[in-house]
Amino acid sequence: MSLPEGYTQLPTYFAPGAFEMVRQYNKGIAYNLDHLAGINHLAETMLKCSLLGDPEDLALVYRFAKPGYEQPEHDKHFPRANYDAPYYSADLLALHPRTQAQPITKAEIEGSHENLVHIQVQDLTKPMVWWLADSIAYPPAEDHKMKASLGAWGRQFKEAFSFNEGAKKSFRLKVVSQHIGAIILLPRGAGPLTPTV
């Protein structure tokens, strides 16, 4: 698959819910390494955290994570998933949505990549880079569900009223405004020059 100029593929995996959501209308995903480096710099300066390593060494794992107690089935956060949990490589997005895709396991992904970035996606109405920024600024507290432990809710309450909250929101807005093209989806039936963010 040809990619737009300035974009490359990185090892990318989707949990089942995220895979089905993304592949319905998209045949691929691509990354701009310069924009990812810019996001990393913003995270380091604004939040005192960063992506793991250089952008070209990253592997990304997406999951569908819809907040709320009575929402459709969501994907488990990657560290909490069983080692035999299925994940789908981004290469499989090119298959027709009704075609059976062959997954690999969490254990195989962990055995192949050291620098894994976990991204929680709730829908595709926001650009993909929004979800990257959101996942960096707001790591999941047991999927934000009512069944979360008291400790998880306590952490969320503390974060919501901390002085760092403004920095997190500002970080997310800067990432989207300055680096919206960091991650693009390649729509089905469209050429490589008409990506969506």
Side-chain angles (χ1 to χ4, degrees):
M1 176 190 323
S2 60
L3 298 175
E5 188 176 342
Y7 286 86
T8 188
Q9 291 182 321
L10 292 173
T12 302
Y13 306 92
F14 296 88
F19 181 70
E20 292 304 324
M21 177 176 61
V22 171
R23 85 165 173 162
Q24 185 175 3
Y25 299 108
N26 302 284
K27 63 183 179 183
I29 187 167
Y31 303 89
N32 181 292
L33 297 180
D34 291 336
H35 280 301
L36 288 179
I39 292 170
N40 196 33
H41 177 71
L42 280 176
E44 287 173 345
T45 56
M46 297 181 72
L47 302 179
K48 307 301 184 232
C49 68
S50 67
L51 301 172
L52 303 172
D54 294 326
E56 59 267 16
D57 297 328
L58 295 178
L60 299 97
V61 179
Y62 293 84
R63 71 178 184 120
F64 172 62
K66 187 79 170 172
Y69 185 62
E70 296 182 357
Q71 294 294 337
E73 188 63 27
H74 67 286
D75 297 316
K76 286 189 175 179
H77 187 46
F78 187 80
R80 292 180 173 272
N82 295 328
Y83 284 106
D84 61 351
Y87 287 84
Y88 297 89
S89 170
D91 298 341
L92 300 174
L93 290 173
L95 296 175
H96 189 278
R98 289 191 295 259
T99 303
Q100 183 79 18
Q102 186 64 39
I104 62 172
T105 65
K106 171 188 172 180
E108 291 175 277
I109 295 172
E110 285 190 326
S112 303
H113 307 286
E114 291 182 16
N115 301 326
L116 288 170
V117 174
H118 312 117
I119 302 175
Q120 49 198 13
V121 179
Q122 294 175 18
D123 57 53
L124 295 180
T125 61
K126 292 185 174 75
M128 293 301 282
V129 74
W130 168 278
W131 299 118
L132 171 61
D134 195 66
S135 298
I136 293 170
Y138 300 95
E142 281 75 20
D143 302 328
H144 306 280
K145 286 180 171 279
M146 295 295 289
K147 290 187 275 188
S149 67
L150 289 177
W153 281 105
R155 287 193 305 274
Q156 282 192 198
F157 183 82
K158 184 178 177 183
E159 286 181 2
F161 294 98
S162 72
F163 292 111
N164 197 32
E165 181 67 16
K168 290 180 179 184
K169 289 182 178 177
S170 177
F171 166 76
R172 190 168 56 188
L173 289 173
K174 279 192 175 186
V175 165
V176 172
S177 64
Q178 296 175 13
H179 302 289
I180 194 164
I183 306 170
I184 59 171
L185 293 171
L186 304 173
R188 289 193 178 282
L193 298 179
T194 56
T196 59
V197 291

